[in-house]
Amino acid sequence: MNKDLDDPRLTAVGLLAEAYTGLMNRLAAQFEEHRLSQVEFEVLMRLARSPGNHLRMTDLAGQTTLSTSGVTRVVDRMERTGLVRREACPSDRRSSYAVITDIGMQRLADVLPGHLELVQRWYVGLLPETKLTELLDSLRTIRDAVNPCATAGSAETALPA
């Protein structure tokens, strides 16, 4: 039994979870300062970085940590505050797009400088450039295997996640 507890696979998963939790805790106060939740920030980023600043609701769910019903609730809330709006999908009456508004873009512009500063301080700035490149490649490999929908709705020319 003890040998199983020392398995490096457990260490790898544990370190990833601890690093993610610690980083999100460092970012949380800044999100609150700008009246955004972590998931609202993620939605704004996904929409702003997508071609045309919009994604089908199902693609947005695939790219975030949300279920389809969860993304509907978040978009409903963000729509009430003017950060996003819905548009009908012209090719599929059953689908709709979430679109970032000018207000949403401004909120993102307000958050981004401090966010990038914190990300630099507590994440990317802790690694030499070669290790960061390796980390990003490794994370994309893992993401693509465990969440193949993570880039749904993105064009080849869109910015990588």
Side-chain angles (χ1 to χ4, degrees):
M1 180 73 174
N2 253 354
K3 184 177 180 192
D4 290 339
L5 294 176
D6 292 334
D7 192 309
R9 294 173 291 187
L10 294 174
T11 303
V13 169
L15 285 172
L16 179 62
E18 291 169 10
Y20 176 79
T21 300
L23 182 59
M24 291 303 104
N25 288 341
R26 299 283 181 173
L27 300 175
Q30 200 241 355
F31 291 145
E32 283 181 33
E33 178 184 321
H34 290 279
R35 302 176 327 276
L36 285 175
S37 69
Q38 175 186 335
V39 75
E40 289 169 335
F41 175 79
E42 183 179 8
V43 165
L44 291 177
M45 283 296 298
R46 294 290 179 164
L47 295 175
R49 292 177 60 150
S50 294
N53 299 125
H54 71 274
L55 283 169
R56 285 185 324 148
M57 295 285 284
T58 53
D59 294 337
L60 183 57
Q63 288 190 24
T64 62
T65 57
L66 298 167
S67 64
T68 304
S69 62
V71 85
T72 298
R73 286 190 298 275
V74 168
V75 168
D76 284 346
R77 185 172 67 238
M78 294 176 76
E79 195 171 28
R80 285 192 297 273
T81 60
L83 298 173
V84 299
R85 70 175 185 278
R86 281 194 177 85
E87 287 182 1
C89 178
S91 61
D92 183 356
R93 291 182 299 153
R94 298 168 296 170
S95 293
S96 63
Y97 288 102
V99 183
I100 190 168
T101 63
D102 290 343
I103 294 168
M105 289 295 270
Q106 184 58 55
R107 180 76 62 85
L108 195 55
D110 292 344
V111 172
L112 216 46
H115 179 75
L116 290 172
E117 187 177 300
L118 289 171
V119 168
Q120 179 66 32
R121 180 177 181 188
W122 296 110
Y123 184 39
V124 298
L126 298 173
L127 301 172
E129 191 172 333
T130 56
K131 285 197 179 216
L132 179 59
T133 300
E134 291 171 10
L135 175 64
L136 294 175
D137 291 343
S138 297
L139 289 172
R140 281 190 185 96
T141 298
I142 295 165
R143 186 251 348 246
D144 292 347
V146 300
N147 188 6
C149 295
T151 58
S154 298
E156 287 294 319
T157 58
L159 296 170

